[in-house]
Amino acid sequence: MSLSFPSRLSRATRGWFAGTVLDSHAESYVAWLEARGYAPGTIDRYLRAVAHFAHWSAPRLNAIGEIDEELVRRFVDDHLPQCRCAPCCVRSRADVRAALVQLLAQLRTEGLSAESALAIPAAIEAELQAFDTYLADVRGLQAVTRYQGQLKHVYHFLLAHFVQGALQMATLAPDDIARFVTEHTAGWKPTSVKQVCIALRSYLRFKAVQGMDTASLAGAVPHVAQWRLSQLPRGLSRQEVEQLLGAFDRRTANGRRDYAIARCYVDLGLRTAEIGRLQLDDLDWQQGQIRIRSKGRRTDVLPLPPTTARAIVAYLRSGRRATPRRDLFLRHRPPLERPVTPTTIRGAIRNAARRCGLATRLPGPHVLRHTIACRLVQSGASFKAIADLLRHRSLDTTMIYAKVDLEGLKKVALPWPGRRP
């Protein structure tokens, strides 16, 4: 049953809607939240936050279509810290911001408000779209790789130089490239700085394909010192793996889902993005196989280990909501019926690591990928077999795990110079 608007709010708070552009919108807002699985207590807080916003914005608005991100920002950042409207006001900035994000989404879905007014300049947007097409069609990069690894860095670079008008790359000098990297990445780790440099070189190659001479600009992109194979892969012991797997409460839907995600890491060595791409149709129960969509639009078929299969079956039977969506792992918090994000997947492992005291040993789920590789090396598996399981495109990538084969290294190690016989 839909919540009744008059029953949700006090008379004073209901009065805040009266005479505002949101006067007749509260009922539909409640229905919007209910359809996305929000709990009654959350709906109550969000509705009171919207009532507060309606009261504050009344003298500032002439039509509902004028509600945008800038107005929301002014309310959250400028008004809330000094709000004295009433004792019942919702002043939690997280709650208010989340409530108004949902309000904007609803208004735009219903065509009552224009799209984001915070759109990037048209020239930069067109340039990023062209670069994205190049990365997808020529380089063959997946969407998450294109955005996280390249587009977001190039966006900041273009915004730093061409925010006022059309892109005129000919006006750039090598010093501009070096200055941007230095200022934009101040305080970053070398790995992150290197990613920015890779993105800039990729963008300059794209401009060269279009006929622009970018040799001097590309030469100005700094080279970040990061020695290949300089560190030992960090893996967990068998006891630590069991400790991690025991940290999931499989009596709950969340626990069953997160445990199945952990088994995908531990048993198959999947990457976070690969887990997020899994579909119900990727599971071949008769053949005992699972289809993996890997890097570079590559598709691999792997045996489905019994432990992984049992974990997924338990989640499907007693954890996953009934929905027409084909994504294997879904959100359990509103908005519901959407696939889990990489943040949710990584958070499932990190939260379990904190619960069982492995937070320092397991800063991120990629350690589990190293764990399965180290275990295979120590059990005598060939590097070709490990490369096939981890879906490395080059055997050189797998060779870093030779460092953990201590028994094999002892056989080929030369005596230390000057050591007594």
Side-chain angles (χ1 to χ4, degrees):
M1 175 182 289
S2 176
L3 292 171
S4 171
F5 166 52
S7 68
R8 299 301 302 172
L9 297 177
S10 67
R11 179 176 300 179
T13 307
R14 284 201 304 271
W16 283 0
F17 278 104
T20 72
V21 296
L22 292 169
D23 191 5
S24 60
H25 201 71
E27 286 279 10
S28 60
Y29 179 69
V30 169
W32 168 273
L33 296 178
E34 285 180 327
R36 280 147 187 81
Y38 284 88
T42 304
I43 294 176
D44 181 71
R45 292 196 309 275
Y46 282 17
L47 191 57
R48 287 191 289 118
V50 171
H52 186 186
F53 173 74
H55 168 73
W56 172 84
S57 63
R60 298 168 174 83
L61 290 177
N62 295 314
I64 198 170
E66 296 176 5
I67 297 176
D68 60 11
E69 282 86 355
E70 174 58 21
L71 190 67
V72 169
R73 185 203 64 76
R74 288 166 53 196
F75 178 69
V76 173
D77 294 342
D78 299 340
H79 174 69
L80 284 184
Q82 55 185 359
C83 172
R84 297 295 183 271
C85 295
C88 62
C89 287
V90 176
R91 295 190 179 90
S92 165
R93 296 176 71 178
D95 276 349
V96 172
R97 186 179 287 109
L100 296 178
V101 164
Q102 290 301 317
L103 176 66
L104 277 172
Q106 183 201 7
L107 295 178
R108 285 170 179 159
T109 299
E110 296 177 357
L112 298 176
S113 182
E115 290 303 315
S116 175
L118 301 180
I120 62 177
I124 293 179
E125 183 176 16
E127 182 75 354
L128 290 174
Q129 289 177 348
F131 182 45
D132 187 43
T133 301
Y134 164 80
L135 294 176
D137 296 347
V138 179
R139 300 283 305 281
L141 300 183
Q142 296 278 1
V144 65
T145 305
R146 298 198 306 270
Y147 175 73
Q148 293 290 346
Q150 309 250 347
L151 288 170
K152 70 176 184 180
H153 300 308
V154 173
Y155 162 72
H156 289 296
F157 170 72
L158 295 177
L159 201 62
H161 294 92
F162 305 112
V163 68
Q164 297 299 331
L167 273 70
Q168 298 186 11
M169 296 292 292
T171 63
L172 290 177
D175 286 347
D176 295 322
I177 303 291
R179 187 182 306 110
F180 169 77
V181 174
T182 302
E183 295 177 355
H184 182 66
T185 64
W188 291 20
K189 294 181 179 179
T191 304
S192 301
V193 178
K194 185 175 182 179
Q195 192 61 60
V196 173
C197 295
I198 291 173
L200 290 178
R201 291 193 190 97
S202 179
Y203 175 67
L204 293 173
R205 281 196 296 270
F206 161 67
K207 299 306 292 182
V209 169
Q210 293 184 327
M212 178 182 174
D213 182 7
T214 61
S216 61
L217 297 178
V221 179
H223 290 273
V224 181
Q226 187 181 15
W227 308 115
R228 189 172 178 269
L229 308 181
S230 61
Q231 296 180 338
L232 279 173
R234 294 191 300 172
L236 303 181
S237 67
R238 290 183 181 273
Q239 181 180 356
E240 288 172 329
V241 170
E242 293 302 320
Q243 188 176 336
L244 174 71
L245 294 174
F248 296 95
D249 183 0
R250 286 183 272 167
R251 297 169 298 179
T252 67
N254 260 2
R256 283 187 283 270
R257 182 200 64 188
D258 294 349
Y259 178 74
I261 288 174
R263 297 265 31 153
C264 289
Y265 278 118
V266 170
D267 299 335
L268 293 166
L270 298 190
R271 302 177 178 95
T272 298
E274 293 168 345
I275 294 175
R277 295 187 196 114
L278 287 175
Q279 303 285 305
L280 293 175
D281 302 318
D282 293 331
L283 298 163
D284 186 340
W285 298 108
Q286 291 185 340
Q287 299 296 322
Q289 296 176 334
I290 184 170
R291 183 168 58 240
I292 310 298
R293 293 174 180 82
S294 304
K295 288 184 175 181
R297 301 183 181 181
R298 169 179 167 180
T299 300
D300 298 283
V301 176
L302 298 178
L304 182 60
T307 50
T308 313
R310 286 194 292 269
I312 291 175
V313 167
Y315 162 63
L316 293 177
R317 286 178 173 172
S318 306
R320 189 178 183 274
R321 291 169 57 90
T323 171
R325 291 199 68 104
R326 305 302 292 170
D327 306 274
L328 176 56
F329 296 114
L330 300 178
R331 288 175 57 95
H332 288 175
R333 292 183 177 180
L336 301 175
E337 297 190 8
R338 291 186 183 179
V340 291
T341 64
T343 300
T344 302
I345 297 172
R346 285 189 285 264
I349 302 302
R350 287 171 176 157
N351 291 337
R354 282 195 291 268
R355 289 195 297 269
C356 66
L358 291 175
T360 56
R361 293 278 291 139
L362 187 57
H366 207 74
V367 172
L368 298 176
R369 187 169 164 87
H370 291 320
T371 298
I372 191 172
C374 294
R375 187 167 68 237
L376 289 171
V377 168
Q378 292 162 357
S379 65
S382 68
F383 286 103
K384 178 63 170 65
I386 298 172
D388 290 343
L389 175 63
L390 299 182
R391 298 165 311 286
H392 288 157
R393 285 179 287 184
S394 170
L395 194 60
D396 288 343
T397 306
T398 317
M399 293 311 296
I400 189 174
Y401 297 108
K403 294 184 175 186
V404 301
D405 185 9
L406 300 182
E407 294 303 318
L409 291 174
K410 287 178 182 178
K411 296 176 183 178
V412 298
L414 296 174
W416 185 260
R419 188 180 68 178
R420 295 181 179 179

